[in-house]
């Protein structure tokens, strides 16, 4: 967006202005977000909820009764009720998912810049910067039921706060990403499992590459940041080159990040884990992943063993240098190998990060990241 002409520099204050500013064209653009923008509103700015998106043929009690595993079994849902759920979901997606075109800088302009009740989709695009924004509560009113997920069935939501698919040359910087006031922990059980209303905070999939994720605050979330969507996506081989640095991961349960196929550099990140019972792992080693971890810092409760900070999901290589847990240097690979002695994890990933900014000593990471990560930590002008 640096070369944007005057007519392609926009200041937006509501969803209608945002959508108009992001109308596709080939020219570079800068879009300045002023204040809080609700993405789940109609064209007149009226807030929209589940009843506004719901197909008339859909209702949750009937759906739960129809697809109860005790009577329906473990087959995928099919039929009029599932068709009505899909129609409802399609209506919501058309409103709350905002596509960001190539050659765009989308930046929070001044304090309190936020996009809420929806998310951003970067699909088959390149050359995009997203900075200084809170992106919050991409809430799915109509999550899907997968009766075989985890063996007992799970609800799966559709929306990420930010989605990257076939995206190139993207920088996400100084943003805050969270679930807002409606955490999944507050959702009821349906079909014996918690309703999941949020998917990822920042997912990078489908052969996206050359992505930098820096100085962001990811907070209080489950499936936080996925790199590579499936072991079956062999087209991801040689792609998914991603750098995460100076991010604050606060009480994120897992996927901080989880990687398949990609060459991912994770350095100078701060992980704050407040509750061990609500934590699974931080860095996930998936199929054919190659994660180079460097000078990261964890602050954890005493009952959480450091061996749990890295999870293995078919990954077989991991390299870590200079990371610390509660101020003490740790050998994450040795701890991981001791916890899973039958898992043969290679101590080298076969690549090295390209020269870039100097890596901070791990002991400086907690203070630097606490002071600098998240939306609102950049210099911002006083007027649009």
């Amino acid at each position: 967006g640096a070369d944007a002409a005057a007519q392609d520099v926009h200041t937006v204050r509501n969803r209608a202005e945002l959508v108009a500013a992001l109308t596709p064209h080939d020219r570079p653009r800068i879009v300045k977000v002023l204040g809080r923008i609700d993405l789940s509103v109609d064209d007149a700015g009226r807030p929209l909820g589940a009843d506004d998106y719901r197909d008339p043929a859909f209702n949750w009690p009937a759906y739960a009764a129809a697809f109860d595993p005790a009577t329906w079994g473990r087959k995928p849902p099919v039929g009029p009720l599932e068709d009505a759920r899909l129609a409802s979901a399609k209506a919501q997606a058309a409103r709350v998912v905002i596509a960001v075109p190539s050659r765009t800088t989308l930046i929070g302009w001044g304090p309190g810049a936020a996009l809420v009740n929806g998310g951003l989709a970067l699909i088959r695009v390149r050359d995009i910067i997203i900075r200084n924004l809170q992106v919050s509560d991409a809430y799915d009113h109509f999550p899907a039921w997968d009766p075989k997920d985890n063996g007992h069935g799970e609800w799966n939501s559709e929306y990420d706060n930010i989605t990257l698919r076939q995206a190139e040359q993207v920088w996400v910087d100084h943003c805050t990403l969270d679930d807002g006031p409606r955490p999944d922990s507050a959702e009821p059980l349906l079909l014996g499992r918690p309703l999941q209303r949020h998917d990822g905070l920042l997912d990078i999939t489908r052969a996206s590459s050359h992505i930098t994720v820096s100085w962001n605050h990811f907070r209080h979330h489950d499936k936080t940041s996925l790199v590579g969507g499936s072991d079956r996506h062999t087209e991801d081989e040689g792609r998914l080159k991603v750098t995460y640095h100076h991010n604050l991961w606060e009480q994120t349960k897992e996927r901080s990040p989880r990687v398949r196929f990609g060459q991912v550099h994770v350095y100078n990140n701060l992980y704050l884990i407040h509750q061990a019972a609500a934590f699974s792992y931080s860095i996930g080693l998936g199929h054919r992943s190659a994660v180079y971890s460097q000078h990261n810092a964890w602050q954890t409760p005493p009952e959480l063993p450091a061996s749990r900070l890295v999870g293995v999901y078919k990954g077989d290589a991991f390299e870590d240098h200079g990371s610390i847990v509660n101020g003490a240097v740790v050998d994450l690979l040795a701890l991981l190998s001791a916890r899973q002695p039958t898992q043969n994890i290679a101590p080298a990933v076969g690549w090295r990060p390209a020269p870039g900014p100097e890596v901070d000593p791990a002991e400086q990471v907690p203070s630097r990241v606490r002071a600098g990560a998240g939306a609102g930590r950049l210099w911002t002008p006083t007027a649009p």
Side-chain angles (χ1 to χ4, degrees), residues 213-352:
V213 180
S214 61
W215 294 100
N216 301 288
H217 188 178
F218 300 91
R219 59 188 184 187
H220 303 286
H221 188 80
D222 186 347
K223 303 173 182 177
T224 308
S225 189
L226 182 66
V227 178
S230 170
D231 294 356
R232 300 186 301 273
H233 295 170
T234 56
E235 69 276 11
D236 289 344
E237 191 80 56
R239 310 284 295 170
L240 299 175
K241 299 178 189 292
V242 183
T243 297
Y244 292 86
H245 73 86
H246 293 93
N247 299 289
L248 172 56
W249 310 81
E250 183 177 6
Q251 196 59 46
T252 54
K253 182 177 180 180
E254 60 184 49
R255 301 187 183 181
S256 305
R258 174 177 171 169
V259 182
R260 296 178 175 95
F261 293 104
Q263 292 184 358
V264 177
H265 190 196
V266 182
Y267 76 90
N268 284 165
N269 294 273
L270 174 61
Y271 297 86
L272 300 182
I273 302 166
H274 306 306
Q275 298 177 337
F279 174 78
S280 179
Y281 67 89
S282 293
I283 299 173
L285 311 179
H287 179 63
R288 295 189 62 79
S289 63
V291 178
Y292 192 99
S293 166
Q294 194 174 19
H295 291 227
N296 297 295
W298 279 263
Q299 295 182 353
T300 69
E303 67 271 21
L304 180 65
S307 60
R308 283 183 52 193
L309 301 179
V310 179
V312 180
Y313 301 91
K314 302 181 185 178
D316 57 10
F318 175 64
E319 195 163 344
D320 178 74
H321 301 276
S323 292
I324 61 174
V325 176
N326 297 327
V329 176
V330 293
D331 186 335
L332 291 176
L333 181 59
L335 292 171
L336 180 63
S337 299
R339 184 171 64 109
Q340 298 183 309
T342 60
Q343 184 77 41
N344 185 23
I345 306 294
V349 295
W351 68 283
R352 290 290 180 272

Side-chain angles (χ1 to χ4, degrees), residues 151-165:
H152 45 59
E154 296 286 4
W155 296 97
N156 291 297
S157 55
E158 177 65 23
Y159 311 118
D160 304 322
N161 294 37
I162 304 177
T163 297
L164 276 65
R165 299 177 191 150

Side-chain angles (χ1 to χ4, degrees), residues 267 353-359:
Y267 76 90
E358 185 174 345
V359 178

Side-chain angles (χ1 to χ4, degrees), residues 162-186:
I162 304 177
T163 297
L164 276 65
R165 299 177 191 150
Q166 298 181 46
E168 291 259 6
Q169 301 290 129
V170 175
W171 182 26
V172 180
D173 178 70
H174 280 93
C175 292
T176 295
L177 300 107
D178 59 27
D179 293 344
R182 298 183 286 185
D184 285 356
S185 59

Side-chain angles (χ1 to χ4, degrees), residues 10-22 31-48 95-98 106-120 132-138 161 182:
H10 310 272
T11 299
V12 300
R13 298 168 178 82
N14 55 51
R15 182 189 178 279
E17 292 177 350
L18 176 65
V19 170
L22 294 174
V31 180
K32 305 172 183 178
V33 175
L34 194 65
R36 178 184 182 273
I37 295 179
D38 190 339
L39 301 181
S40 186
V41 296
D42 65 15
D43 291 342
R46 180 181 69 88
L48 301 175
R95 178 59 45 170
V96 305
V97 179
I98 306 299
L106 180 63
I107 185 168
W109 202 254
L115 304 176
V116 302
N117 301 325
L120 301 172
N132 198 42
L133 280 171
Q134 180 176 359
V135 187
S136 185
D137 199 10
N161 294 37
R182 298 183 286 185

